[in-house]
Amino acid sequence: SQVAMAMGNYGLTLEEEQQLLKSEGKEFREGEGPEVEDLDAWSGFFLHAESVNGNQEKCSFVAADGYFETSRVAVETALTLRFDRERLQYRGGVLTPSVA
């Protein structure tokens, strides 16, 4: 019988990927990371949502590396809640993506 193995990027096992990154000087500990000038990664997001009533929304965007986008979205959310809260359509706590 075959055993399922955890796979990383490049079709390698996680252990092989860790060894590759370490050999290239790209293995980072928590709180560390590459220099900004060395980053060339990007993320693409594509969304098509449809409600039970048939309403549809579509959006897509291409953005920087996930680390940058996570922090950017967190800061933009905080700024929106601080300065534009009264302009938000919904009041309350956390909204699910289908409501937001």
Side-chain angles (χ1 to χ4, degrees):
S1 78
Q2 292 183 330
V3 176
M5 295 183 357
M7 300 298 287
N9 291 327
Y10 318 114
L12 305 172
T13 66
L14 292 177
E15 291 79 17
E16 291 169 338
E17 184 178 358
Q18 286 175 329
Q19 287 301 317
L20 174 65
L21 292 172
K22 189 173 188 175
S23 71
E24 294 176 349
K26 296 180 180 177
E27 182 184 47
F28 302 105
R29 294 188 179 106
E30 186 176 332
E32 298 178 346
E35 297 296 324
V36 172
E37 298 79 22
D38 295 336
L39 293 176
D40 61 357
W42 60 275
S43 303
F45 299 91
F46 308 93
L47 171 70
H48 177 194
E50 183 175 350
S51 72
V52 293
N53 297 332
N55 296 324
Q56 295 186 28
E57 290 294 330
K58 297 178 184 179
C59 71
S60 64
F61 63 92
V62 175
D65 172 77
Y67 290 108
F68 286 119
E69 294 308 317
T70 300
S71 58
R72 181 184 64 80
V73 168
V75 169
E76 287 185 5
T77 300
L79 290 171
T80 298
L81 291 173
R82 170 58 181 91
F83 296 110
D84 296 319
R85 187 177 202 117
E86 69 282 349
R87 295 175 52 202
L88 295 176
Q89 183 177 359
Y90 297 100
R91 302 285 181 247
V94 177
L95 301 175
T96 63
S98 63
V99 175

